[in-house]
Amino acid sequence: YILVCVFIGMAVSVAAPNPRAAVVALFFVWTLTAVVGPRLAASLAAAAAPMPSMMDTHAALEREIDGDGYDRRTEELRARVLKEHGVTSESELPFDFRGLALQYDEDRSTKIFEAHRANLRAREARQDGALGVASIVVPWLALERWSTAFAHTDLTHAQQFEDAAESYRRALVGRMNDHVKQNHGGDGDASLWSAVEPFAFTSPPPGAILGYAWPAMLVLCGWALLTLAALITVGRRTAVVGARL
């Protein structure tokens, strides 16, 4: 990207009739490629796949999860479990019904959450794809995509971290619910908590990052070659004109 800026600056400086004209032209190029271009591309990407607000997303999620009521679902589950085991009360069950009910509701909520997340990620993918196409015209976007990938702050890393955290949460909740189910709601001793490993996330190695970030570097290399060719062309024409004069 530095080479692109240098080649553009040199080409404009050589072609401009005077330093003032070169400064004005370069300021226009900078404004177009570093300010207007990225903002316009982001706006177009957002328009192509609009994202619902966080408030609307949470509201829709809560409505679907709690639409029929937790108490009602629990009563239906209790009646079904008692019938399956041929008993008339929870105390007659060979396990704690509360742990089973908690995990049942957790599994149900997970399915609903996954459906909503899949919808959001599909929109994110369309926006990211639009920005990838726009980076061909706006090299700043290609630089941003490349640098954020190796800084572990891009969309792919964010989703990988989210997946790892969610998997850890589900495993922890499942273990606690199973403990309640098997131990009739006991608090558990130190062995229960010592068996829970701390959350850890390992970022993908550079090779994996290159596997999906290479198009951005290809765009930057293309721009470097294109601006170098423009500089050489302008330089030759200026030399020919100077020789004629």
Side-chain angles (χ1 to χ4, degrees), residues 96-109:
D96 194 320
F97 175 76
R98 292 175 297 174
L100 177 67
L102 288 171
Q103 188 58 43
Y104 174 81
D105 207 63
E106 171 68 17
D107 294 339
R108 176 181 177 276
S109 300

Side-chain angles (χ1 to χ4, degrees), residues 52 75 100 106 147 164 168-169 186 233:
E75 287 299 325
L100 177 67
E106 171 68 17
S147 61
Y168 179 85
R169 186 200 67 80
T233 301

Side-chain angles (χ1 to χ4, degrees), residues 15-230:
N18 54 68
R20 178 176 297 179
V23 170
V24 172
L26 288 174
F27 180 77
F28 174 78
V29 172
W30 173 82
T31 302
L32 187 63
T33 59
V35 179
V36 177
R39 290 181 180 272
L40 179 61
S43 297
L44 293 176
M51 298 287 291
S53 67
M54 183 178 294
M55 182 179 298
D56 291 340
T57 300
H58 280 289
L61 193 60
E62 290 179 0
R63 282 196 305 270
E64 192 167 349
I65 289 177
D66 297 325
D68 54 354
Y70 174 78
D71 292 338
R72 178 180 176 182
R73 294 195 304 272
T74 304
E75 287 299 325
E76 292 177 351
L77 176 64
R78 180 183 291 108
R80 186 166 64 250
V81 171
L82 293 178
K83 182 178 180 181
E84 290 175 354
H85 287 79
V87 296
T88 58
S89 66
E90 292 183 20
S91 60
E92 298 177 81
L93 292 173
F95 53 83
D96 194 320
F97 175 76
R98 292 175 297 174
L100 177 67
L102 288 171
Q103 188 58 43
Y104 174 81
D105 207 63
E106 171 68 17
D107 294 339
R108 176 181 177 276
S109 300
T110 295
K111 292 180 180 179
I112 297 173
F113 173 78
E114 285 293 343
H116 281 263
R117 184 167 66 170
N119 176 54
L120 293 176
R121 287 196 170 180
R123 296 177 184 231
E124 289 176 345
R126 290 198 296 271
Q127 288 191 1
D128 190 63
L131 290 175
V133 174
S135 68
I136 299 175
V137 182
V138 185
W140 173 265
L141 293 176
L143 173 65
E144 183 181 51
R145 294 169 73 83
W146 176 264
S147 61
T148 54
F150 280 91
H152 300 175
T153 57
D154 63 328
L155 177 62
T156 300
H157 277 81
Q159 292 180 347
Q160 290 174 343
F161 181 86
E162 178 184 295
D163 291 342
E166 179 63 15
S167 296
Y168 179 85
R169 186 200 67 80
R170 292 177 186 176
L172 177 60
V173 170
R175 175 174 292 185
M176 296 301 107
N177 290 339
D178 185 67
H179 173 79
V180 173
K181 178 182 176 182
Q182 301 300 333
N183 296 275
H184 296 277
D187 293 335
D189 53 18
S191 62
L192 172 65
W193 299 103
S194 62
V196 178
E197 298 180 358
F199 173 72
F201 175 72
T202 303
S203 297
I209 299 174
L210 283 172
Y212 67 85
W214 65 267
M217 178 53 68
L218 186 63
V219 169
L220 290 175
C221 290
W223 268 91
L225 294 175
L226 181 65
T227 51
L228 175 61

